[in-house]
Each structure stands twice: as structure tokens, then as C-alpha cells.
Amino acid sequence: MGPVLLVIGEAADGHLVKLCAEVATLARTLAEAAGGSVVGLVVDAAPDAVAAELAAYLPRVVAVTAPATADETWAAHAAASARGLVDEGVTHVLAAATLDGRDVAGILVGLLDWGLLANAAGATWDGDAPVVEAMVLAGKAVTRSTLTGPTGIITVHPGAATATEAAAAGTVEARDPEAVPAVPAAVIIDRVAEAGAEVSLEEARVVVVGGRGVGGPEGFALVDELAGLLGGVTGASRASVDAGWIPYARQVGQTGKIVRPALYLGLGVSGAMQHRVGMQGSESIVVINKDPDAPMAEIADLFVVGDLFEVGPALADEIRSRRGG
Amino acid sequence: MRILVLTKPVPDPAANAERLGADLRLDRAASPTVVNGNDEYALEAALQLVEVHGGEVAILTMAPPNAIETMRKALAMGALRGVLVTDPALAGADLPTTVRVLAAAAAAESFDLLLAGLDTSDGTGGAVAAGIAARLGLPLLSAAARIEPDPAAGRVRVRRLSARGYDLLEAPMPAVISGTQALGTPRYPSLKGIMAARSRPIVTKTLADLGPGLAPEGGAWSSRVLGVEKPPSRAAGRMITVPAAEAAREVADYFVERRLI
């Protein structure tokens, strides 16, 4: 028999959330090591396309058509369907450590009394149980933890696995939604987009962050310009969000978004631990800052000591001229 | 309105004095504690709501007995009373136990809104509020950036952070809401508040006060820490100290090398 792992699939704009492909790959690897099986779940008003995307990573995906998720909180309905699959033998649930994924995980903890290993940065299967690595205490320590029983829940951070499709695509099985949500669902009255948030920070290949050093809201023009040139997204440190220069939705860090882009470019960011927790997994880190003693110097691949308002525009020109040439 | 706010004492992140005990769990006596940052935002929001709509803010904490000191800081901000659930059998409690105990303690109070931080700076699991909502069968409104109750209608609206901005949610009260820094900067306790906090009641409850079966026998937790290490450090990078134009060229070269442009 072996354990049965369930992957919670999330949709955004009609596509599978990138992190969920990593979660699926991780779950598939764990199931293989455990001699168990793995199944995916997509709960959405129109789940088919997303379920097909998830099935590229998993042998079997359950697609629940839940019209209610169009205007009610998704996690309440997704957790109900997940619980239904638990009744059919699922032993472990893996969800992305996103806002929605954490909601589903928390609801399931409350309903099932299962243990939770949060924010996995990596996971292996050892004997009867998964062993999860996670960053704790604002990045000051990495723990290895395990579940003591035959069931449990894992939330997964970006970078715990590299998304890799399975040798063959899996099957998609259509299902009806559960009659009752796992918790009373809240109604979504409106979905409001804020300017500059067309691409989500977590999904971006390049993130350009403005810190305290940008000096004010007008300083973000340079950040936006470089983000645009690099095909990236503008982010912010907590200092610039607290100062009111940019909305909280742009914040990178422990109390904001956890990002893991191919390039992190920091302008006037000093690198408080709070911030580093949210970006230290980036592939390349480049920082422009006046202060060579800024903590960011410890983790940057390139650290330019200089005035961001001199180096930044010069860099923008340089990128443009290389594009042109 | 009656608002109950979960406030967890956490090691002061600024003190850098966290230490792990023999069981590899956090030694909660080793470091000075503060109210968890996200809980403070939730508390601030609760205090502002009561200023507008009337009512009271109470705080609920599950922690070792010395948490009373940290709870006084929350009372000094303006909460009127506190409930501390403390029991030796809860030392090192796992998440499902924490959820069961806090849900039972919350159920013993009467509230329109149960507020909590989105996550805590020590555990960062971010699942407690959702777990409590599920245990109590209440609506969950997570990642709140703004909370707008309508006490007359018995409903609450919340701006929930989304990847693109926010979703405007509505649910009947009582409801469980988790909040973030986007709720606004917490107030500093006034001298008057600090004085008043000394005489505000903190009721201590043990597991026996909350009912049977909330914690497993002998600390048989659902999860266990096997080991703790320092995070791997990144290889030291290159420092560029040349003039701006030259530095820009070097950075652009690096981007080209890495196929970023």
C-alpha cells in the first residue's frame, strides 16, 4: 500500500501556480521513495486546463468543478474536497506555502488533527515518514523535522524542488464539489488589482527591489524602469513599505512575499534579516548600495558600492545600448 | 463589539538570543520576549475598531507562565483583559494541539471577531487562525489589510491581500481574521496605558479548566525536530567600487553572462 500523497493545485489566471508544479514534483519524488502513490487536486470553477497542467507532473489528478469558488473563498471549498480524498485514503497533504495553501493546510489541521511541517525548503522520505528542512527564527536556523504518525500535512516554499514533468502525463478525473465547504465560505464582493501588480512577485523571473535608499515614492520610478528593462517586477523592502512609498503587496521578506527569482536586483537595500529571509534563495543577487558594510554584502554575488541614482540610470542605459547593439 | 486577539510571546528578533532546548525546541526562557509582530498589527486594528464601534478588546495567549509580562505590553496598548492558557503539559506543543487548546479557550469567551497575526516570527507556519476557524466552524478571512465590521448587520468586510492587490470579502460574524502589517502601525503604549495595564485582569487557565482530551498524554506530539543547523551561507560575492559608468558596464556584463539580458 504505502502512503498516499495529495498535492493541492492552485490556479491563477487559468494556469497552474508555478510553485504548485514544484510541490507536485516534490510529492512525486517522496511517493516514489516511500513506495506509495500520489494524486493531485484542482478545485476551480473551470478546473480542466489547470488539472491538465498538473497532470504533466502527476499520474492522477482529481478535477473538481466548483462554481462557488468564482465568488466565494477558495480555501473553504478546496479543503472540503481535500478532506473528501482523505476519507478515501490520502495520508499526506502537500500544499504550496502561499496564502491560499496555508489556509487549506490550517483548515485541515483543525478538521483532521494532523501534524503540520511548515515551509519546507526541501524534503526526503526516511523510513515511514517525510523529513522536512525548514528555515526558522527569521533565517537564523534550519531545522530537520519529521511526523511521528502515519499522516500529516506539509507546506512547501519555493525552491524545495525543481519542477520536472513526469515521463508520461497522468489521468484527469472529473468530480463534483463537496456539498458543504470545510468552513463557512466568505463571499468575494470584489477583486481589486493595484497598479504595477500585473505579474505576481512570486512568479517573476527578475525582481527589482527598492529599499530605504531610494528615498521616496519618486525613487521608485528608477526601480520600475529597471524592472521594465529586465522584464521583471518591482518589489520593496519593509522600510519603503512602512514609509508609505509603495503598497504592502510589493513587500519582499518574512512578513511579505518570499521570492526566488533568477535575478534579484536590490537598489538601496541594506538587507535586514527580515528581508533576506524573503529573497536569499534567489539565483543571482546584485545590489547597489552606498554602504559597503550593509548586511546585503554578505550574500550578494555582485555588490556595487555607489549612489543608486548614478549607477542605476547608467545601468539602464547600458542595458538599452546592449539591446540595441 | 467584542474582539478577542491572539497574542503570542515570541523571542525578540532584535535580541538575537534564541536558544534551543535539549528537545531541539525553542527554549522560551532563554530570550527576552515581545508580542509577535503580526499579532500587534491585529491588536492595533482591534483597538481602532472598538474606538469606532464601542466594545472591548481582550487578548488570548497560550504560553509559559512568564508570558504575563509580555501580555501586559498588549494590555498597555489598550486591551482590557487577558486570558493565559498555561500548563506544563503544553511545553513544546505541536500545531494541532495548539489549535485545539486555543479553539477551546476562545470558545469559552464570547466574541464577534477573533483576530490573530497571519503568522508568528518564530514558527512562521501561519496555520493557527485557519485551524481555529475549522475547529469552531467559523468563516476564515485571512491576510487582512483592512477590517470593516457592520455590527448592526452582524457582518464584516475584509480586504484580503492577493497577488494582484486585494479581494474584498464579506462574512457573517463571529468570524476569524488573520492580519498583517498592512493593517497599520501599532501604537506605542502611553504612560497612562502602562499604569492601567498593571491592574487589568489576566485570568490563568490550565488544560483541566478547558476540558478533557485537548493534549496528548506524555507529549506525544504529531511532529518532532530531528536536528538544527545554521543555514548554509552563500559564497562571498564580488565588491565593485569603480565609478558609476564602469560599474554599470560590469553589472551588464554579468547579466549577459547569466543570460539575464
Side-chain angles (χ1 to χ4, degrees), chain A residues 150-208:
Chain A
T151 56
I153 302 162
I154 301 172
T155 57
V156 182
H157 256 194
T162 305
T164 312
E165 296 190 356
T171 57
V172 176
E173 179 187 320
R175 283 218 188 179
D176 292 330
E178 298 292 318
V180 183
V183 292
V187 176
I188 303 169
I189 308 234
D190 197 7
R191 296 180 198 265
V192 179
E194 281 175 342
E198 286 74 20
V199 185
S200 89
L201 269 172
E202 289 106 321
E203 307 263 313
R205 193 168 163 270
V206 174
V207 173
V208 184

Side-chain angles (χ1 to χ4, degrees), chain B residues 11 17-31 33:
Chain B
E18 298 96 337
R19 205 175 58 205
L20 298 166
D23 58 354
L24 297 180
R25 286 183 182 271
L26 196 59
D27 179 351
R28 296 200 177 270
S31 172
T33 57

Side-chain angles (χ1 to χ4, degrees), chain B residues 135-209:
Chain B
R135 293 277 306 176
L136 300 179
L138 297 177
L140 169 68
L141 304 126
S142 62
R146 184 179 297 185
I147 304 169
E148 294 166 332
D150 182 347
R155 301 185 75 78
V156 61
R157 284 189 175 192
V158 157
R159 285 188 184 187
R160 179 183 192 251
L161 296 167
S162 71
R164 295 283 180 81
Y166 65 87
D167 293 344
L168 183 60
L169 308 182
E170 188 182 285
M173 297 195 284
V176 177
I177 300 174
S178 69
T180 66
Q181 174 199 337
L183 287 168
T185 311
R187 65 194 65 189
Y188 283 104
S190 64
L191 189 58
K192 198 171 143 229
I194 293 168
M195 300 299 282
R198 289 183 189 166
S199 58
R200 287 185 181 152
I202 296 178
V203 176
T204 299
K205 295 188 176 185
T206 63
L207 277 174
D209 295 325

Side-chain angles (χ1 to χ4, degrees), chain A residues 121-152:
Chain A
T124 54
W125 196 275
D126 185 13
D128 301 328
V131 174
V132 158
E133 278 188 12
M135 197 87 82
V136 295
L137 297 171
K140 289 173 195 152
V142 178
T143 55
R144 273 185 312 114
S145 308
T146 192
L147 297 163
T148 56
T151 56

Side-chain angles (χ1 to χ4, degrees), chain A residues 1 10 18 32 37 60 63 67 74 94 102 108 133 135-136 138 157 174 189 200 265 269 296 298 304 313 317:
Chain A
M1 260 294 279
E10 291 179 45
K18 198 171 101 189
E32 275 164 23
S37 58
R60 181 181 162 227
W74 175 83
L94 282 84
R102 288 161 132 204
L108 291 175
E133 278 188 12
M135 197 87 82
V136 295
H157 256 194
I189 308 234
S200 89
L265 174 59
V269 180
M296 214 53 151
E298 292 166 22
V304 180
D317 288 344

Side-chain angles (χ1 to χ4, degrees), chain A residues 13 73 75 99-100 102-103 105-111 113-119 131 135-149 151 155 182-195 197-202 205-206 229-230 238 241-242 248-251 254-257 262-263 265 279-286 292 297-307 310-311 314-315 318-319 322-323, chain B residues 11-20 24 26 38 41 94-97 99-100 118-128 130-135 137-143 145 155 157 159-172 178 180-182 185 220-232 234-245 247-256 258-261:
Chain A
D13 305 318
T73 37
L99 290 178
D100 279 333
R102 288 161 132 204
D103 281 355
I107 291 169
L108 291 175
V109 167
L111 292 180
D113 264 334
W114 285 8
L116 173 84
L117 301 176
N119 302 326
V131 174
M135 197 87 82
V136 295
L137 297 171
K140 289 173 195 152
V142 178
T143 55
R144 273 185 312 114
S145 308
T146 192
L147 297 163
T148 56
T151 56
T155 57
V183 292
V187 176
I188 303 169
I189 308 234
D190 197 7
R191 296 180 198 265
V192 179
E194 281 175 342
E198 286 74 20
V199 185
S200 89
L201 269 172
E202 289 106 321
R205 193 168 163 270
V206 174
L229 283 168
L230 290 163
R238 178 166 182 167
V241 172
D242 277 349
Y248 172 71
R250 301 284 96 199
Q251 182 171 320
Q254 187 179 18
T255 53
K257 302 278 164 55
L263 170 66
L265 174 59
M279 49 63 69
Q280 58 196 2
S282 306
E283 274 171 49
S284 297
I285 299 176
V286 178
E298 292 166 22
I299 61 167
D301 298 300
L302 281 188
F303 188 96
V304 180
V305 183
D307 184 338
E310 290 174 17
V311 181
L315 179 58
E318 197 67 35
I319 295 169
R322 292 189 191 212
R323 284 262 166 73
Chain B
D12 184 351
N16 262 320
E18 298 96 337
R19 205 175 58 205
L20 298 166
L24 297 180
L26 196 59
N38 276 337
Y41 299 119
D94 61 4
L95 184 71
T97 304
V99 164
R100 278 195 304 275
L118 179 67
D119 60 13
T120 57
S121 60
D122 52 356
T124 66
V128 168
I132 292 173
R135 293 277 306 176
L138 297 177
L140 169 68
L141 304 126
S142 62
R155 301 185 75 78
R157 284 189 175 192
R159 285 188 184 187
R160 179 183 192 251
L161 296 167
S162 71
R164 295 283 180 81
Y166 65 87
D167 293 344
L168 183 60
L169 308 182
E170 188 182 285
S178 69
T180 66
Q181 174 199 337
T185 311
W221 310 123
S222 60
S223 56
R224 189 160 54 94
V225 181
L226 300 172
V228 182
E229 278 150 41
K230 286 211 141 192
R234 287 179 74 102
R238 192 151 54 93
M239 192 80 87
I240 299 177
T241 52
V242 294
R249 276 197 295 279
E250 282 197 40
V251 173
D253 285 345
Y254 177 84
F255 287 171
V256 170
R258 296 272 170 146
R259 298 175 185 279
L260 292 162
I261 52 174

